[in-house]
Amino acid sequence: MLRLIAIAVSTLVLHTIYMIGRPLTRRSRRWRNVMVRAWARTLSRCLGLRSVVEGQRPSGSFLLVSNHVSYVDILLIAQHADAVFVAMSDMREWPAIGKLAASVGTIFIDRKSRRDAVRVGSIVEDAVRAGASVALFPEAASSDGTDVLPFKPALLERAARDAQPVHFAAIRYAQSEVAWGDVPLGPHAWTLLQLPRIDASLEFGGSVTTRDRKELAETLWREVRKRVVTSSPRSSDPHSPPAP
């Protein structure tokens, strides 16, 4: 309960500072990045999230993909890479969280709509061209953390068409309870709050460039997966390639 109170209070204070500073900084990207990083680091301390970072972090404007295990992934990445996230449209309706996410530029997507993937793909492309950085989870769902689900190529179409380098990262957690899966948000969050600590690994692994979106999705998936399942007991299990 103390952790929950600390998260609520720190989020309220930091968001208030952020909103006050927006007009003063002319809604600058730098101000947004500074405050999001501060928020991610503060909440990580509240949760006892300790991370080890490997590899070279992307710089400048970039498109970053990674495997998706939990909403904790956002805290992990936001501490080490200044990026706007692509999130499921359902998050927009979450009490308080939805408005907070929207205020920092989160791009919402309806995962069930192919048309929406086209719309979001265009927004992502425009954002990167304008100098911003975008992070997305092409699995389109969270896994149990021991393997990586196939990467959907829909949001990678613009990057493939323009031969844009797509950076990738691999996320691993020592505690299996971090994996979200199909557990309702409330009970899962309560479980996380009771963990003594959360040990995470974030490995940046370079970038991939190709003009074929399916090839791009599959190559990124393989690069991420081989970093995730190296020490997993399921590493020898067969896995299907990304869906078309």
Side-chain angles (χ1 to χ4, degrees):
M1 185 59 70
L2 289 175
R3 281 182 168 180
L4 181 60
I5 293 172
I7 288 173
V9 172
S10 58
T11 297
L12 177 61
V13 171
L14 289 172
H15 187 257
T16 300
I17 295 173
Y18 168 67
M19 295 303 291
I20 292 174
R22 287 184 75 188
L24 300 177
T25 59
R26 297 182 180 180
R27 299 175 180 263
S28 73
R29 188 178 299 120
R30 182 178 180 182
W31 174 247
R32 180 260 174 208
N33 291 342
V34 166
M35 293 307 300
V36 169
R37 184 170 290 206
W39 172 78
R41 288 176 174 174
T42 301
L43 263 64
S44 294
R45 293 191 187 99
C46 293
L47 285 173
L49 173 62
R50 304 183 184 184
S51 57
V52 174
V53 181
E54 304 174 77
Q56 185 173 358
R57 308 172 194 182
S59 59
S61 60
F62 57 81
L63 178 59
L64 174 72
V65 304
S66 82
N67 60 310
H68 189 30
V69 184
S70 171
Y71 41 83
V72 180
D73 302 344
I74 295 174
L75 298 180
L76 183 60
I77 294 175
Q79 292 182 71
H80 306 289
D82 296 324
V84 172
F85 289 85
V86 176
M88 59 183 183
S89 57
D90 294 354
M91 181 182 288
R92 193 195 295 268
E93 306 304 321
W94 292 359
I97 297 177
K99 290 185 177 180
L100 289 172
S103 71
V104 295
T106 300
I107 303 169
F108 296 103
I109 179 173
D110 182 354
R111 294 289 189 180
K112 299 177 182 178
S113 170
R114 292 191 176 185
R115 285 186 177 182
D116 208 41
V118 175
R119 178 188 67 85
V120 171
S122 178
I123 294 175
V124 169
E125 179 184 35
D126 292 343
V128 175
R129 284 184 174 179
S133 301
V134 180
L136 60 90
F137 306 108
E139 289 171 283
S142 56
S143 69
D144 63 3
T146 62
D147 208 334
V148 181
L149 300 174
F151 280 5
K152 308 291 186 181
L155 292 182
L156 300 173
E157 183 171 0
R158 296 294 185 96
R161 185 194 64 189
D162 298 336
Q164 174 190 348
V166 180
H167 295 262
F168 62 88
I171 294 174
R172 298 182 295 272
Y173 296 101
Q175 293 80 8
S176 60
E177 295 90 342
V178 179
W180 187 7
D182 296 326
V183 182
L185 176 62
H188 183 264
W190 188 248
T191 297
L192 287 189
L193 291 171
Q194 297 179 69
L195 293 177
R197 57 185 284 179
I198 299 174
D199 298 290
S201 170
L202 175 63
E203 181 179 354
F204 293 104
S207 64
V208 175
T209 306
T210 177
R211 289 189 178 276
D212 186 302
R213 69 169 192 166
K214 294 181 181 178
E215 179 183 348
L216 179 59
E218 182 170 356
T219 302
L220 289 166
W221 169 74
R222 293 188 186 281
E223 290 292 340
V224 172
R225 183 174 184 262
K226 73 182 182 182
R227 289 165 171 78
V228 170
V229 303
T230 299
S231 59
S232 170
R234 301 185 188 180
S235 60
S236 60
D237 289 355
H239 207 291
S240 60

